[in-house]
Amino acid sequence: MAHVIDLEGLPDPVANAIAETVLNLKTRYRAEKHEPPTPPKTLPSRPGNVIGSLRRVDIYEER
């Protein structure tokens, strides 16, 4: 079953981003094959030590 999304009036970069998002979702959920979604990828990490808390104000220097 095909669906139509009206993108008329949107700037080309926005319409392209929506099309890319739909393609990514179709790939992830494999809508055509009705297969379960692929599991999320494990992000790389490195061992380390926590040396203190980090707050938004510390990151963006908002005071």
Side-chain angles (χ1 to χ4, degrees), residues 3-62:
H3 296 280
V4 176
I5 299 173
D6 182 12
L7 302 177
E8 187 176 336
L10 292 176
D12 285 343
V14 174
N16 291 338
I18 292 171
E20 187 175 331
T21 300
V22 170
L23 181 60
N24 288 337
L25 288 170
K26 285 177 71 171
T27 300
R28 175 157 170 93
Y29 291 99
R30 298 183 185 164
E32 300 88 10
K33 297 180 183 179
H34 301 289
E35 294 179 13
T38 57
K41 294 182 180 179
T42 303
L43 298 176
S45 63
R46 297 182 181 167
N49 297 321
V50 176
I51 57 173
S53 65
L54 185 61
R55 302 170 303 159
R56 178 183 176 87
V57 70
D58 298 327
I59 297 170
Y60 296 105
E61 298 179 6
E62 295 173 354

